[in-house]
Amino acid sequence: MLRSVSTVRAESTLRPEKSQSATFGMVLEPLQDLTVSADFYWIRLQHQIGALADTTVFGDPTKYASLFHRNANGDLSISGTDCPGSDCGYLDLTEQNLGGIKTSGVDLSADYRLKTQSWGQFRFGLNGTYVSKYIYQNEENGAWIQNVGVYADNGPIFRWQHTLSVDWTYGDWSVNLANHFKSHYMDQNDLADDTYNHHRVGEYSVWDTSVTWNATKALSLTTGVRNLFDTNPPFSNQGATFQQGYDPRFTDATGRTFFARGTYTF
């Protein structure tokens, strides 16, 4: 199946996007060397400009019949060699006004430094985002679609995700340990049956670590491990990419990986 690659229609009927937003932030230092911040946000977007997901169009071909441009045989093309030409059948996914978006949440961060005389310096950090609301429309004045913790159209919106890090510096040596986390969500179901209608894609938590030696003022050497515990990505039935069994946009199937690098400044 071929999709139209145009980004704007020849006779554009697009309306400009409009947005309203409010933010409120605060920074606290309850202890020496400890900083905690929170940034709350509320956003409302009207007349959002974008392209419908192909799964949405195929999910209701009657409603979106005007987007199907079939060839003389009534088919859609599966090979690029058919287009352009009389044998070209394609799906028109050019951009249009898709309705509105309403979202709110909070960005959180924390940073703490601990200095010791005998064991060097430690630093603990957290950066995370909590999304309390994300709903959108696929058309002007259309139904509102829930997207937080649910795969909808092009993907999920994660309720919570963060990066947690610990750094230790001692003389010419430094060690880093970091955790990258994404919360669970309800999976996409693009099969004819209801096998995955209630499938939950599990949480994804990966740890990375590295060690750096500053050999001289100009030379530093680093070695480390990505995905320290060889964590597999959770199963997903997504059909947005050619990879199957997981979602490569949010997870990594590579597994435990060792790396080394050197940096020389002159």
Side-chain angles (χ1 to χ4, degrees):
M1 182 273 297
L2 297 184
R3 309 173 188 177
S4 171
V5 297
S6 302
T7 57
V8 180
R9 299 181 188 278
E11 297 180 1
S12 178
T13 58
L14 293 178
R15 302 170 63 186
E17 294 182 337
K18 295 182 179 181
S19 66
Q20 298 174 318
S21 63
T23 59
F24 172 76
M26 58 183 178
V27 178
L28 303 175
E29 295 184 356
L31 300 172
Q32 184 177 2
D33 297 321
L34 172 62
T35 302
V36 180
S37 67
D39 293 290
F40 300 88
Y41 64 86
W42 297 264
I43 301 173
R44 179 171 183 175
L45 178 66
Q46 296 174 291
H47 318 309
Q48 62 158 321
I49 296 176
L52 285 168
D54 54 0
T55 53
T56 300
V57 177
F58 281 115
D60 197 339
T62 301
K63 180 178 181 178
Y64 300 108
S66 63
L67 301 181
F68 289 83
H69 298 267
R70 301 181 185 275
N71 59 25
N73 295 323
D75 300 323
L76 296 177
S77 299
I78 59 174
S79 172
T81 59
D82 293 339
C83 299
S86 59
D87 293 331
C88 182
Y90 63 94
L91 186 64
D92 185 0
L93 296 181
T94 49
E95 296 187 346
Q96 57 185 291
N97 290 112
L98 300 181
I101 296 175
K102 297 179 182 180
T103 183
S104 59
V106 57
D107 295 320
L108 300 170
S109 67
D111 184 86
Y112 178 60
R113 295 175 182 270
L114 175 63
K115 299 178 181 179
T116 68
Q117 294 183 348
S118 303
W119 295 98
Q121 178 175 291
F122 296 85
R123 180 176 180 177
F124 306 87
L126 170 68
N127 286 285
T129 297
Y130 178 84
V131 181
S132 59
K133 179 180 182 179
Y134 192 104
I135 57 176
Y136 68 94
Q137 296 169 304
N138 266 333
E139 57 190 358
E140 297 282 7
N141 302 315
W144 290 95
I145 301 172
Q146 166 64 259
N147 205 183
V148 178
V150 179
Y151 192 111
D153 291 317
N154 289 315
I157 298 295
F158 295 96
R159 176 76 69 180
W160 171 256
Q161 54 185 321
H162 73 242
T163 296
L164 178 68
S165 62
V166 180
D167 296 280
W168 174 47
T169 303
Y170 185 80
D172 297 327
W173 294 86
S174 61
V175 179
N176 170 265
L177 179 65
N179 172 247
H180 309 282
F181 176 88
K182 295 182 184 297
S183 59
H184 67 268
Y185 61 91
M186 298 307 296
D187 201 5
Q188 180 187 29
N189 179 40
D190 62 356
L191 300 180
D193 60 33
D194 61 356
T195 304
Y196 298 104
N197 261 344
H198 304 290
H199 176 251
R200 181 175 121 163
V201 179
E203 300 170 344
Y204 185 58
S205 180
V206 174
W207 292 87
D208 301 331
T209 187
S210 64
V211 178
T212 299
W213 175 43
N214 296 307
T216 67
K217 291 184 178 180
L219 176 65
S220 65
L221 303 173
T222 300
T223 184
V225 184
R226 297 187 180 94
N227 195 353
L228 180 63
F229 299 108
D230 199 24
T231 301
N232 290 322
F235 174 82
S236 172
N237 188 51
Q238 64 83 22
T241 72
F242 70 88
Q243 292 96 332
Q244 297 297 306
Y246 73 105
D247 199 324
R249 297 171 298 175
F250 313 115
T251 61
D252 189 352
T254 304
R256 184 186 295 115
T257 305
F258 299 87
F259 70 91
R261 66 173 179 266
T263 303
Y264 185 79
T265 304
F266 56 89

